[in-house]
Amino acid sequence: MLEVTEVSAGYAGNDVVHDVAFTVAASEAVAIIGSNGAGKTTLLRAVAGLHASSGGTVVLDGVDISGWSAHRISRAGLAYVPAERHLFGQMSVAENLALGAYPSKPDSAQLDVVFDLFPRLRDRRGQHAGTMSGGEQQMLAVGRALMAKPKVLILDEPTTGLAPKLAADAYTALGVLKGEGMTILVAEQQVPLALGLADRGYVLEDGRIELTASSAELANNPDVRRAYLGIA
Ligand SMILES: Nc1ncnc2c1ncn2[C@@H]1O[C@H](COP(=O)(O)OP(=O)(O)OP(=O)(O)O)[C@@H](O)[C@H]1O
Ligand SMILES: [Mg+2]
């Protein structure tokens, strides 16, 4: 469903992501794990067309979307949820969700899909997004992305700013989405949560993929355990 080949990207001519390749099959969940500054956000933004890549190709559902604008990529079926969420704080929950469908009109059946996944959003549809709690804002950011009925959902550190219980809840919701067949790519530092969701993972270090394996293998890998799970 998503095939990334030799993507490089950086800032002011200096690459911080080097020749990264990975794939996400339809209905698969894949984690990119890596510590602060590894290049996760740069990589995901490059895939989503939000950051210019200096090389490589991105193929979405058989279509080469390399170099496309972010808007065109999102219309082609790739939704990106930034760690900062970028909600419209002065607008209501319902208005934020409607914007997620733009330029299409919000589909009431899809709105029900989102509300069934996140009943809290249904209860609070009239509330300003900016007054929602951190966990609720996270649900709204995911819900807004789903309004576009994406083929692939990309999330950058969805646990950012969430207390452990809420971070776990966020991954529970992603697990439900995966169970419904959604294709998910997630970048995460909270490695146990990410590996709990994902079928497979890639370890990104200094902008390069250093290791790839099934989530079970990564969770048992001594290097991964030492570096990311704090287990000697
Ligand atoms: N706007 C920018 N200008 C210059 N350098 C940047 C910019 N944004 C990120 N970088 C650098 O690129 C490298 C990768 O950063 P990136 O944000 O992609 O990492 P990350 O894996 O997402 O980290 P984190 O887990 O902290 O979010 C870092 O060295 C960072 O300092
Ligand atoms: Mg980041």
Side-chain angles (χ1 to χ4, degrees), residues 53 111 119 128 153 227:
S53 44
L111 195 58
H128 279 174
L153 180 66

Side-chain angles (χ1 to χ4, degrees), residues 34-42 44-45 80 83-84 156-157 160 187 189:
S35 47
N36 285 118
K40 302 181 297 297
T41 298
T42 306
L44 295 191
R45 285 176 52 85
Y80 172 71
E84 306 79 15
D156 188 12
E157 300 204 48
T160 301
Q189 289 188 61

Side-chain angles (χ1 to χ4, degrees), residues 6 15 23 28 32-33 45 60 78 91 125 135 152 164 167 179 184 187 190 197 205 225:
E6 305 302 311
D15 283 350
T23 58
E28 189 179 36
I32 307 268
I33 63 181
R45 285 176 52 85
L60 172 67
L78 188 150
M91 295 172 69
R125 61 210 295 169
V152 179
I184 299 173
Q190 300 218 24
L197 171 76
E205 280 174 13
R225 290 168 73 83

Side-chain angles (χ1 to χ4, degrees), residues 77-216:
L78 188 150
Y80 172 71
V81 181
E84 306 79 15
R85 288 156 203 152
H86 295 163
L87 299 169
F88 294 94
Q90 301 298 318
M91 295 172 69
S92 70
V93 167
E95 287 166 335
N96 272 274
L97 290 173
L99 280 171
Y102 184 84
S104 301
K105 283 184 63 173
D107 176 318
S108 64
Q110 189 64 11
L111 195 58
D112 276 331
V113 168
V114 171
F115 284 156
D116 288 347
L117 181 65
F118 300 119
R120 184 69 66 92
L121 297 183
R122 181 181 272 126
D123 299 341
R124 306 208 161 213
R125 61 210 295 169
Q127 186 173 330
H128 279 174
T131 62
M132 304 271 280
S133 73
E136 290 166 349
Q137 292 195 18
Q138 207 281 334
M139 296 174 200
L140 180 52
V142 174
R144 185 179 57 179
L146 294 176
M147 287 302 291
K149 300 188 208 168
K151 294 173 178 171
V152 179
L153 180 66
I154 298 186
L155 305 114
D156 188 12
E157 300 204 48
T159 56
T160 301
L162 299 186
K165 165 79 168 77
L166 294 179
D169 289 350
Y171 269 86
T172 302
L174 293 177
V176 172
L177 267 180
K178 174 173 157 49
E180 292 170 355
M182 178 59 70
T183 306
I184 299 173
L185 173 67
V186 63
E188 188 58 82
Q189 289 188 61
Q190 300 218 24
V191 173
L193 286 175
L195 294 184
L197 171 76
D199 302 294
R200 294 186 299 118
Y202 294 81
V203 177
L204 189 70
E205 280 174 13
D206 291 329
R208 289 188 170 81
I209 302 284
E210 295 294 344
L211 183 62
T212 179
S214 72
S215 293

